[in-house]
Amino acid sequence: MERDGYSLTREFSHLGRFQQAHTLCYALRQEDDRRLTISLTQTQDTQKETERIALMDWRPEEAGLLLRYLYENAVPMENWQDVVEDLTASLAPRGT
């Protein structure tokens, strides 16, 4: 990952009543030594909506893989935070 971060953008076509044209931009940014921010921006027509999640104590390489997962699976704005929560919970250390 570059020091500042990077982004991956996916464009969706207008498919009649099945789908409106829109763009999803998945981004990762290094805020400081301990915190990374992952965000999703959805642009449709002239409207733009962005949501962010802070990742504490993540290695940039792992956060980059998470970003790529979201992009490759075209995880939508409606449930991307739940997907991140589920994936990060599965990576948390388990008690013995």
Side-chain angles (χ1 to χ4, degrees):
M1 180 180 88
E2 296 175 15
R3 178 71 179 144
D4 294 343
Y6 73 101
S7 63
L8 300 168
T9 301
R10 184 174 292 277
E11 294 185 22
F12 296 87
S13 302
H14 177 75
L15 301 174
R17 62 185 180 150
F18 301 110
Q19 175 177 282
Q20 297 296 317
H22 64 285
T23 301
L24 295 176
C25 181
Y26 305 87
L28 181 61
R29 182 177 180 147
Q30 180 120 26
E31 301 295 333
D32 55 43
D33 289 340
R34 292 190 56 223
R35 186 177 63 171
L36 296 161
T37 300
I38 194 166
S39 65
L40 177 57
T41 301
Q42 178 173 298
T43 305
Q44 185 172 348
D45 298 322
T46 59
Q47 296 182 328
K48 186 182 243 185
E49 178 183 0
T50 300
E51 296 179 355
R52 293 176 180 78
I53 297 175
L55 303 174
M56 296 300 293
D57 297 320
W58 273 63
R59 292 189 352 249
E61 299 79 21
E62 287 291 317
L65 292 175
L66 174 60
L67 183 78
R68 186 142 203 94
Y69 176 90
L70 295 170
Y71 169 78
E72 288 187 4
N73 290 281
V75 176
M77 181 67 85
E78 294 80 22
N79 63 348
W80 82 281
Q81 290 190 14
D82 292 332
V83 171
V84 170
E85 185 178 312
D86 289 347
L87 290 171
T88 56
S90 70
L91 298 175
R94 300 189 188 275
T96 55

